[in-house]
Amino acid sequence: MRKAVLVLALAMTGCATAPPNFPTEVTRFRADAVERGTIGIVPEPGVPDGPEFQGYVRVVAGQLAAQGYTVVAPGDGTFVARIGFKRDTRTVRGPAPVTLGLGVGGGSYGRGGGVEGGVSGGIPIGKGELREDTQATLSVRINRRAGDLGVWEGRAQTRAIWRAGTGVPGAIEAKLAKALFTGFPGESGRTITVK
């Protein structure tokens, strides 16, 4: 005897879900001794000295100060920190707010055993909210100003997703800078993940 069961379920997801918190990957290289002293912050060649760069300057300056450097005017200092960054943002549509769940199951019973099986799926209802999916990278190189000798360099990259128009200004810059200087100066040549 065969039985077929049709199950309909209406499942509603929350309207305001928090964006996923992606980790940050950090790779650093260093000289044997990473000295401290006065340091000026400048953009890497080709990086525009605009508002976005100034946002990175603020967070990197704070991290350098926490590591024992004294941040001075860009043209001054024993050391120079060169900042590079990249940000790619695309608008994506999130999942539908409501999903109609469908399930079909069946079975066959009798002497000698039976066969059971089932199929399930969902039908999205409505449109999901628009989100901004951002991939961002920050790089910092610390050199001695005299002779331009390399002392330390690091690169951090992460991803962030926010509901369109709700991203906090400076949040991704602060996240990258904090991760980049976590455990400074760090192990040379090793990639770590900072949550």
Side-chain angles (χ1 to χ4, degrees):
M1 177 175 152
R2 296 177 60 95
K3 291 183 180 180
V5 179
L6 179 62
V7 178
L8 296 175
L10 187 62
M12 295 188 71
T13 61
C15 293
T17 55
N21 184 15
F22 293 95
T24 303
E25 285 191 356
V26 176
T27 305
R28 298 174 283 205
F29 297 91
R30 53 175 284 193
D32 290 338
V34 179
E35 302 171 64
R36 309 305 197 269
T38 54
I39 190 166
I41 302 175
V42 300
E44 282 279 13
V47 172
D49 185 0
E52 190 172 10
F53 170 71
Q54 293 304 323
Y56 279 106
V57 168
R58 282 190 291 276
V59 293
V60 169
Q63 293 295 328
L64 287 169
Q67 299 303 328
Y69 288 94
T70 301
V71 180
V72 295
D76 297 331
T78 304
F79 300 96
V80 58
R82 292 187 173 88
I83 293 179
F85 59 88
K86 182 178 180 185
R87 180 193 299 244
D88 294 315
T89 299
R90 61 189 181 103
T91 301
V92 297
R93 190 169 293 281
V98 177
T99 301
L100 178 65
L102 299 173
V104 178
S108 174
Y109 306 95
R111 280 183 103 147
V115 177
E116 294 184 17
V119 178
S120 65
I123 300 172
I125 299 174
K127 291 184 177 179
E129 63 186 5
L130 291 177
R131 298 180 179 183
E132 293 173 355
D133 186 345
T134 299
Q135 304 263 358
T137 303
L138 167 66
S139 64
V140 177
R141 287 190 304 139
I142 299 175
N143 288 10
R144 278 191 168 277
R145 192 175 296 277
D148 202 30
L149 296 174
V151 175
W152 181 92
E153 66 180 271
R155 181 174 185 262
Q157 57 185 1
T158 195
R159 182 180 178 201
I161 298 178
W162 287 290
R163 187 178 304 137
T166 64
V168 179
I172 203 161
E173 292 89 340
K175 179 180 180 180
L176 286 166
K178 182 177 179 183
L180 187 58
F181 287 93
T182 295
F184 180 86
E187 185 178 336
S188 189
R190 182 180 170 206
T191 298
I192 62 170
T193 300
V194 180
K195 294 184 180 179

